[in-house]
Amino acid sequence: MDHTPHDRSTGHPVYVIGGGPGGLAVAATLREQGVRAVVLEKSDAVGASWRSHYDRLRLHTTRRLSALPGLPIPRSFGRWVARADVVRYLEKYADVHALEIVTGVEVFRVERAEDGESWLLHATGGRRLTGSAVVVATGYNHTPRLPDRPGLDAYTGDLAHASAYRDPAPYAGRDVLVIGAGNTGAEIAADLAEGGAARVRLAVRTVPHIVRRSTAGWPAQRTGILVRRLPVGLVDRMGAVMCRISVPDLSERGLPRPDTGLYSRVREGAVPVQDVGLIDAVRTGKVEIVGAVESFDGDGVVLADGSRITPDAVIAATGYRRGLEPLVGHLGVLDERGRPVVHGARTPREAPGLYFTGYTNPISGMFREMAIDARKIARRIAKAAAR
């Protein structure tokens, strides 16, 4: 990998901000199109986000449907690729495609250059880099978000965001509360229950849709791909039927079936929870479902039913912010939730030549959609360069 930029062309390169799967895929497809792309990665290696995830994590999408353009994921990695193998794949991907990657460089701000067409990037060490186009791929899980609840600042208990969780060993024999019933919270709760925590409680605000990762060999991802263009109401009804068939009723354990449709929830940005142990853990009582956290009180946590508990440790699986405001917020390209107003090959009307990838969380699989986006972005940029 290159660790210092060096121009090999008379024109400005395309700068790709972020050396995760989305950024690497765009750089590789641009290179394939004959366009010079330079990846700027603030950490010291590609795949930084995947390097820091918890050990148990695997791709929830199948190996065959998760490959980035130009390199299959090795069969030896199995159907559900482990976190460490995802990192190995991304390293190999960068090497195989001979990508131009500059590590240790963080971009703080992107703005239009004086010529009105190219882009000026303000980066680490006072760097001012000029690009013909910019692809922002800093990642869906960028800035950890702690629960916005009264009393948090004065809470004296052991509180950590899920981004700091690696394995259950530090929690052996302890009473742990996990806040948030998304995929991360559900999997960490199951991991703690299997890994020796004395008690595990999962605080649930909105009852999640739970789906089997695979049913009779058919992965949930393939269903997600097939139903994407069907009417929302139809998919909601189909999802309800599948749920009754494949997922037991856990109402007596505090986890009733959701009262909103699966696809309706997806359209609002909430993907279903893929079961990798939560169902059995709840059914057997190893994970207790409790109400949402309403506030923090000294060394205690107050739940929605008014009860106050004092767990030994709290893990907040309360999501992330995209963290794009300092970078591009001044360009008018973000919505009220801080997400790009467009993604893929479309560029914002206010900022032609600025692209975003990896900021959606589709049921068809994030790696798959980033691969599709990469090809579209590369063709669009190559066509513009040819003009």
Side-chain angles (χ1 to χ4, degrees):
M1 293 181 189
D2 295 319
H3 291 271
T4 55
H6 52 281
D7 248 326
R8 292 197 298 262
S9 64
T10 55
H12 299 303
V14 174
Y15 281 108
V16 180
I17 306 174
L24 298 181
V26 170
T29 49
L30 281 169
R31 183 180 174 90
E32 187 179 72
Q33 292 279 348
V35 177
R36 182 185 175 213
V38 178
V39 178
L40 303 174
E41 168 55 46
K42 70 177 183 178
S43 73
D44 60 358
V46 300
S49 176
W50 278 91
R51 292 175 191 276
S52 63
H53 286 317
Y54 49 93
D55 292 345
R56 174 191 173 110
L57 181 65
R58 291 177 176 270
L59 278 178
H60 290 164
T61 53
T62 66
R63 170 182 54 80
R64 292 183 62 186
L65 294 175
S66 302
L68 301 179
L71 185 69
I73 298 176
R75 292 187 64 182
S76 60
F77 287 179
R79 193 180 199 195
W80 311 105
V81 183
R83 179 200 63 81
D85 287 333
V86 172
V87 172
R88 290 169 58 195
Y89 172 71
L90 295 178
E91 290 174 339
K92 183 178 180 182
Y93 190 85
D95 288 341
V96 166
H97 290 287
L99 300 183
E100 191 174 346
I101 299 171
V102 186
T103 59
V105 173
E106 181 175 5
V107 180
F108 301 109
R109 182 179 173 91
V110 176
E111 60 188 20
R112 186 63 83 182
E114 289 184 2
D115 63 12
E117 293 185 2
S118 51
W119 291 93
L120 181 64
L121 287 69
H122 298 266
T124 306
R127 291 176 176 86
R128 291 164 64 89
L129 308 170
T130 303
S132 59
V134 174
V135 182
V136 182
T138 52
Y140 190 84
N141 296 338
H142 186 272
T143 305
R145 182 177 59 205
L146 287 170
D148 183 17
R149 294 289 174 267
L152 178 63
D153 291 344
Y155 180 61
T156 59
D158 180 354
L159 170 68
H161 188 269
S163 58
Y165 179 86
R166 295 292 174 271
D167 60 64
Y171 300 93
R174 303 179 75 192
D175 177 349
V176 187
L177 172 68
V178 180
I179 305 175
N183 274 293
T184 298
E187 189 157 358
I188 287 177
D191 198 32
L192 288 165
E194 295 171 13
R199 184 178 189 181
V200 181
R201 285 175 280 198
L202 179 61
V204 178
R205 180 167 296 276
T206 302
V207 177
H209 284 274
I210 303 176
V211 298
R212 298 287 189 183
R213 187 168 62 179
S214 178
T215 303
W218 178 265
Q221 182 189 7
R222 286 199 178 275
T223 302
I225 294 169
L226 291 174
V227 304
R228 284 193 73 188
R229 304 195 185 284
L230 294 178
V232 174
L234 175 61
V235 180
D236 282 348
R237 291 191 292 274
M238 292 167 58
V241 172
M242 284 300 298
C243 179
R244 285 195 293 271
I245 292 172
S246 61
V247 177
D249 185 357
L250 299 171
S251 299
E252 291 186 359
R253 293 289 185 178
L255 203 60
R257 298 194 189 280
D259 57 7
T260 55
L262 184 151
Y263 202 36
S264 293
R265 191 84 66 82
V266 168
R267 296 291 288 270
E268 296 170 359
V271 296
V273 170
Q274 293 213 12
D275 177 52
V276 286
L278 181 67
I279 291 175
D280 285 344
V282 172
R283 185 166 50 187
T284 57
K286 293 179 180 177
V287 170
E288 304 168 45
I289 302 298
V290 297
V293 170
E294 290 300 313
S295 63
F296 294 85
D297 177 27
D299 65 346
V301 179
V302 180
L303 303 177
D305 62 1
S307 61
R308 184 181 185 276
I309 61 175
T310 53
D312 298 324
V314 177
I315 298 173
T318 41
Y320 296 79
R321 295 183 179 90
R322 308 294 85 81
L324 291 169
E325 288 82 1
L327 188 68
V328 297
H330 55 285
L331 297 172
V333 297
L334 304 178
D335 65 17
E336 67 281 356
R337 295 170 64 182
R339 302 171 305 181
V341 292
V342 297
H343 70 277
R346 297 170 61 200
T347 61
R349 184 179 306 170
E350 305 84 349
L354 181 66
Y355 301 84
F356 296 88
T357 183
Y359 296 99
T360 60
N361 194 10
I363 57 175
S364 50
M366 187 175 283
F367 271 53
R368 178 180 182 272
E369 295 304 320
M370 286 190 292
I372 293 171
D373 276 355
R375 294 187 179 96
K376 291 179 178 178
I377 291 170
R379 285 196 295 265
R380 178 78 176 268
I381 291 176
K383 187 175 180 180
R387 289 200 300 268

